[in-house]
Amino acid sequence: MSFDLAARLAARRAENLYRQRPLLESPQGPHVVVDGQPLLAFCNNDYLGLANHPQVIEAWRAGAERWGVGGGASHLVIGHSGPHHALEEALADLTGRPRALLFTTGYMANLGAVTALVGQGDTVLEDRLNHASLLDAGLLSGARFNRYLHNDAVSLAKRLEKASGNTLVVTDGVFSMDGDLADLPALAREAKAKGAWLMVDDAHGFGPLGANGGGIVEHFGLSQEDVPVLVGTLGKAFGTAGAFVAGSEELIESLIQFARPYIYTTSQPPALACATLKSLELLRSEHWRREHLDLLIRQFRQGAEQIGLQLMDSFTPIQPIMIGDAGRAVRLSQMLRERGLLVTAIRPPTVPAGSARLRVTLTAAHSEAQVQLLLEGLADCFAHLSPEPSHA
């Protein structure tokens, strides 16, 4: 018996689902060089344009000079340094919660939180369209795992009726492939009615959403009682890397004791925490970034609707254009690239079969003129795209 990897790879190619890594040869920003080609990019998650900000770069440089480069050990041994601690306190303040806990990646924050809170004899209920890291966390927890219909509080209520043990309801805040928002008020009501806890992964909401960039919980005016477990990532709107969980004193202490992805991982570089502290300061003080981003989102949606593109119900920086067929989505992405525009085609299994799309992401670093260039490119390329293949 042997692994026939060649056959698996060939099948993926034949289905137009083969993935290849573009090689970025420049810093993140609207203007990038990918595989040697200068392009105008609309596919990164640097929503507030901070990933290449001079002040953030300088904070990292100064942090490295003061604290060195490597974390050196796990947080519980000797890897928890001053900048890590200061960043946790700043994130707790941003979220209005007593404590926050740093993780090295968003994937690890989700694995750590879910597996620390529920196990055998418990129940975890997740939105069908949750991020892969949340679904994996539910499966790995050992709890009874079930998925409710997307953003459907009635579907959740039916599953809560059958839940046993400690019950954790888990949802994305902003769904990364559709750009829509979780109906947190309704989900929180159902969870509280049954004594369940609600956990929100707000990876794509922190920064763009909320009056102060505090994300979807701030957007809806919800409390820690409504959403006891709040997860955010730092590699998107914050422009750096890592993640955090924010919540009560007891929650954070429990994660320090029981979250294996936290306990058994070397801490992130202290200089990275210094950079994130600077980006957090910019996120909170430069409100024009969110205002400009909102303007671009409105501009793009109005222009795309005039072209006749099929958009999804999103007022976030994630603006998917539904294509359906994976082959057509790839061709449209290639046609745009030939015009100097980089927009990624998203195909199954990342999204459900038959829902391939172009995933446009807008950032505060983009200009209105650049969005107009994208709209003109889309209008031209879409007009020349071959029709949907017949399934007769």
Side-chain angles (χ1 to χ4, degrees), residues 270-284:
L272 169 58
C274 295
T276 306
L277 276 163
K278 176 54 71 174
S279 66
L280 177 54
E281 181 188 314
L282 293 169
L283 180 153
R284 299 191 79 167

Side-chain angles (χ1 to χ4, degrees), residues 112-143:
V114 174
T115 57
L117 291 171
V118 291
Q120 285 193 327
D122 297 325
T123 304
V124 59
L125 301 174
E126 301 208 15
D127 190 291
R128 278 191 170 277
L129 297 188
N130 272 354
H131 188 265
S133 60
L134 294 171
L135 300 175
D136 287 356
L139 291 167
L140 287 168
S141 70

Side-chain angles (χ1 to χ4, degrees), residues 364-376:
H366 286 113
S367 67
E368 292 175 69
Q370 288 168 338
V371 172
Q372 187 57 38
L373 279 174
L374 172 63
L375 289 167
E376 289 166 6

Side-chain angles (χ1 to χ4, degrees), residues 99-103 109-110 113 229-232 243-247 251-252 255:
R99 294 278 299 277
L101 188 69
L102 271 182
F103 282 79
N110 285 332
V229 188
L230 179 57
V231 180
F244 66 93
V245 179
L251 171 67
I252 300 309
L255 294 181

Side-chain angles (χ1 to χ4, degrees), residues 91-297:
L91 290 167
D93 184 57
L94 174 70
T95 58
R97 288 164 186 245
R99 294 278 299 277
L101 188 69
L102 271 182
F103 282 79
T104 307
T105 68
Y107 215 111
M108 289 171 59
N110 285 332
L111 285 181
V114 174
T115 57
L117 291 171
V118 291
Q120 285 193 327
D122 297 325
T123 304
V124 59
L125 301 174
E126 301 208 15
D127 190 291
R128 278 191 170 277
L129 297 188
N130 272 354
H131 188 265
S133 60
L134 294 171
L135 300 175
D136 287 356
L139 291 167
L140 287 168
S141 70
R144 184 165 169 243
F145 176 69
N146 210 317
R147 295 195 285 178
Y148 58 90
L149 298 177
H150 175 52
N151 224 355
D152 188 330
V154 175
S155 174
L156 170 62
K158 288 176 183 172
R159 284 157 178 76
L160 281 166
E161 293 285 352
K162 301 172 185 172
S164 57
N166 291 323
T167 301
L168 186 65
V169 177
V170 184
T171 182
D172 272 316
V174 176
F175 290 88
S176 60
M177 291 300 125
D178 289 8
D180 57 333
L181 267 59
D183 185 1
L184 279 197
L187 299 176
R189 274 196 305 274
E190 297 299 341
K192 276 206 286 189
K194 291 292 185 291
W197 270 23
L198 178 59
M199 169 176 160
V200 177
D201 174 11
D202 201 23
H204 297 270
F206 274 107
L209 295 181
N212 300 294
I216 189 169
V217 173
E218 183 183 51
H219 170 79
F220 282 120
L222 299 177
S223 68
Q224 182 175 293
E225 188 185 338
D226 299 313
V227 183
V229 188
L230 179 57
V231 180
T233 55
L234 306 171
K236 298 178 177 67
F238 287 84
T240 57
F244 66 93
V245 179
S248 68
E249 183 80 27
E250 293 79 11
L251 171 67
I252 300 309
E253 281 300 317
S254 297
L255 294 181
I256 290 170
Q257 301 303 319
F258 303 115
R260 291 164 67 88
Y262 178 80
I263 298 166
Y264 299 108
T265 303
T266 299
S267 65
Q268 62 174 227
L272 169 58
C274 295
T276 306
L277 276 163
K278 176 54 71 174
S279 66
L280 177 54
E281 181 188 314
L282 293 169
L283 180 153
R284 299 191 79 167
S285 64
E286 296 189 346
H287 288 267
W288 66 263
R289 293 180 182 276
R290 277 190 299 286
E291 291 160 6
H292 178 62
L293 183 55
D294 288 343
L295 175 76
L296 297 182
I297 293 166

Side-chain angles (χ1 to χ4, degrees), residues 12 16-17 19 324 326 346-357:
R12 181 150 279 207
N16 288 305
L17 301 179
R19 293 166 163 142
I346 305 290
R347 298 160 286 167
T350 305
V351 292
S355 71
R357 66 202 62 185

